[in-house]
Amino acid sequence: MLNSTFWRATLAVSLASLITFFNLYLVQPLLPMFRERYQLSTLEASGMLSYAMLGLALGLAVLASASDSFGRRKILLGSLWFSPLLTLVIAFAGELDFNYLLALRFAQGLVLAGIPAVAVAFLGELLEPPKLIKAVGIFIAANSIGGIGGRLISGWGAELMGSWQWAFMAIAALSLVVATLVHYLLPDEPPRERKPWRLLQSLSNYGLHLKRWPLLVAFAVGGGGFGIFTQQFNYLTFLLAEPPYELPSSWLSMLFLAYLAGTFTATQSGRLAQRWGMRRGISCGLLVMIGASLLSATGNLLLILAALALLSSGFFLTHSQASAYVNQRATQAKASASALYVISYYLGAALGAFMIEPFYQRWAWLGVVGVSVVTLSVLALVAFVSLQDPARSKRSEQDKGLAAS
């Protein structure tokens, strides 16, 4: 039976995830506004998302291990309060040089990292395994809602109020209200022994995982797949804001409802993994992303929308399978392995713009499609050849042991 501690902890952490993704992704439908307001290239405008993700990746690398020493509740609450304040600062810094906005977004990414770095570990210390599985499912659903909600609020807010600054202020105000609720709901941490934080030990754990080829492939799949996924949405906002489409920011924000297709796919990933195996699931998701990329090349708006739904379905299938694969294949320091996957995930999204921009400048959207198809094809081939389902791998190791004896 689910008690009050379960609901308080799950609701608090899920609301905290809304703040993370409200503030991280609010810029995505506004990228054409930034490009026009500051006379930027598409790459420079995309920096409003890329720099935040780069900060998030760096913050995760530090905070995931530091929370063992400093306490998860303190880190989570610190992220909750400081991130909306930075959103307000960015809103009022609109007249400054654009590079200052990028620096603020990088700092915001560092601050936001505290929530995904400790959320699941915090739940794991409070809840028993059966309840934890249910709590994490609710938490992941909240991640998706936060990503969609932040984009919708900012896109429609900027359209109705006439500037991106108002969208930032609306997100900041909403985030502060939610932070107050989380502060009230979040239970205290259970008492435990806290060891001094050792950066070298954390780096040693990361180095251990980077020596294992199957994990490296999974990290590359997560980072490369998310990089292509994020940047296709980014560059589509630029494409659809221009003739002949000329969609306003409010309609551009509606593109991200395609994420719902991916949310459904993610919920079915466990069943698909049992039927196909993780290796086939990962490869199949990447192939669906390739098909979606090719479909978007038609230029027809309805087909582009269908392509986005397919792209989301394929990516979330790949992502859910790859993240689970890392957890099962890591034989020790599993928390570090999972953290390294998430770091790769956001690092790929941050650096994806630098890979795609030259192709976009040379061949416009067809360039984005071309580099996406090539990258995803390489990842699918390497994953299919290199990865082995954990259960099968374990049986192989046992067979080798029997043969040796």
Side-chain angles (χ1 to χ4, degrees):
M1 184 175 180
L2 303 178
N3 56 24
S4 61
T5 299
F6 170 89
W7 288 115
R8 283 186 61 191
T10 304
L11 182 57
V13 168
S14 298
L15 288 173
S17 81
L18 295 184
I19 293 179
T20 304
F21 296 103
F22 279 173
N23 289 276
L24 180 62
Y25 289 118
L26 83 163
V27 300
Q28 209 162 12
L30 308 179
L31 295 179
M33 280 190 172
F34 290 116
R35 182 178 62 172
E36 182 179 352
R37 166 67 179 79
Y38 295 98
Q39 296 298 298
L40 305 169
S41 68
T42 49
L43 178 62
E44 290 170 327
S46 296
M48 286 295 283
L49 181 60
S50 298
Y51 274 68
M53 287 188 164
L54 195 61
L56 185 64
L58 180 60
L60 280 165
V62 177
L63 295 176
S65 58
S67 67
D68 289 330
S69 300
F70 300 114
R72 309 193 201 285
R73 193 176 190 276
K74 288 181 181 178
I75 289 177
L76 195 148
L77 290 176
S79 294
L80 284 177
W81 290 112
F82 280 108
S83 180
L85 294 177
L86 280 170
T87 300
L88 273 179
V89 170
I90 294 170
F92 288 106
E95 299 306 317
L96 297 177
D97 183 82
F98 186 71
N99 289 325
Y100 288 107
L101 300 187
L102 293 181
L104 287 169
R105 283 290 287 172
F106 178 79
Q108 188 170 40
L110 287 172
V111 171
L112 282 171
I115 298 171
V118 306
V120 174
F122 181 83
L123 289 173
E125 291 177 347
L126 286 170
L127 306 176
E128 298 171 356
K131 295 179 180 178
L132 176 62
I133 294 171
K134 185 175 182 64
V136 171
I138 296 171
F139 171 70
I140 291 174
N143 292 350
S144 177
I145 293 169
I148 296 170
R151 292 165 172 118
L152 289 175
I153 294 168
S154 66
W156 282 92
E159 182 71 21
L160 293 173
M161 303 302 293
S163 75
W164 64 264
Q165 286 97 330
W166 281 106
F168 270 64
M169 285 188 273
I171 290 290
L174 179 59
S175 297
L176 289 170
V177 171
V178 174
T180 303
L181 290 173
V182 174
H183 200 124
Y184 172 74
L185 289 169
L186 195 66
D188 292 328
E189 288 182 80
R192 60 183 172 84
E193 181 184 357
R194 293 181 183 174
K195 299 179 181 179
W197 180 49
R198 292 183 173 88
L199 177 60
L200 291 179
Q201 181 60 49
S202 300
L203 295 176
S204 176
N205 288 338
Y206 290 143
L208 178 72
H209 301 308
L210 291 174
K211 293 177 182 177
R212 299 190 62 193
W213 175 248
L215 292 180
L216 277 175
V217 172
F219 298 151
V221 165
F226 192 44
I228 294 297
F229 177 72
T230 300
Q231 296 307 325
Q232 281 205 19
F233 272 91
N234 278 358
Y235 282 93
L236 272 174
T237 61
F238 295 123
L239 176 73
L240 298 180
E242 297 171 349
Y245 310 102
E246 297 185 308
L247 298 183
S249 62
S250 55
W251 284 99
L252 291 175
S253 69
M254 301 291 283
L255 297 177
F256 300 97
L257 290 173
Y259 272 53
L260 294 174
T263 303
F264 173 77
T265 304
T267 62
Q268 302 301 310
S269 63
R271 184 180 304 173
L272 294 174
Q274 290 179 346
R275 181 178 299 178
W276 298 344
M278 289 184 180
R279 181 185 65 151
R280 291 180 179 176
I282 291 170
S283 301
C284 180
L286 292 168
L287 291 175
V288 171
M289 292 179 71
I290 292 170
S293 301
L294 293 172
L295 183 61
S296 70
T298 60
N300 180 281
L301 182 57
L302 289 178
L303 291 180
I304 289 174
L305 297 178
L308 288 178
L310 275 177
L311 185 74
S312 299
S313 297
F315 169 70
F316 278 95
L317 174 60
T318 295
H319 168 46
S320 57
Q321 300 277 340
S323 58
Y325 183 88
V326 168
N327 183 266
Q328 291 193 29
R329 283 305 301 262
T331 55
Q332 52 187 306
K334 286 180 177 287
S336 296
S338 296
L340 197 54
Y341 176 82
V342 179
I343 291 166
S344 304
Y345 180 82
Y346 285 110
L347 199 58
L351 300 179
F354 296 96
M355 178 180 72
I356 289 177
E357 177 70 10
F359 296 91
Y360 180 77
Q361 291 297 334
R362 182 72 173 82
W363 293 289
W365 179 249
L366 289 180
V368 177
V369 171
V371 72
S372 297
V373 168
V374 171
T375 302
L376 294 169
S377 297
V378 171
L379 289 173
L381 179 61
V382 173
F384 191 79
V385 171
S386 302
L387 300 184
Q388 191 174 26
D389 289 314
R392 181 181 174 187
S393 176
K394 187 174 181 180
R395 286 196 300 270
S396 298
E397 291 174 0
Q398 290 174 343
D399 291 342
K400 288 179 182 178
L402 289 172
S405 61

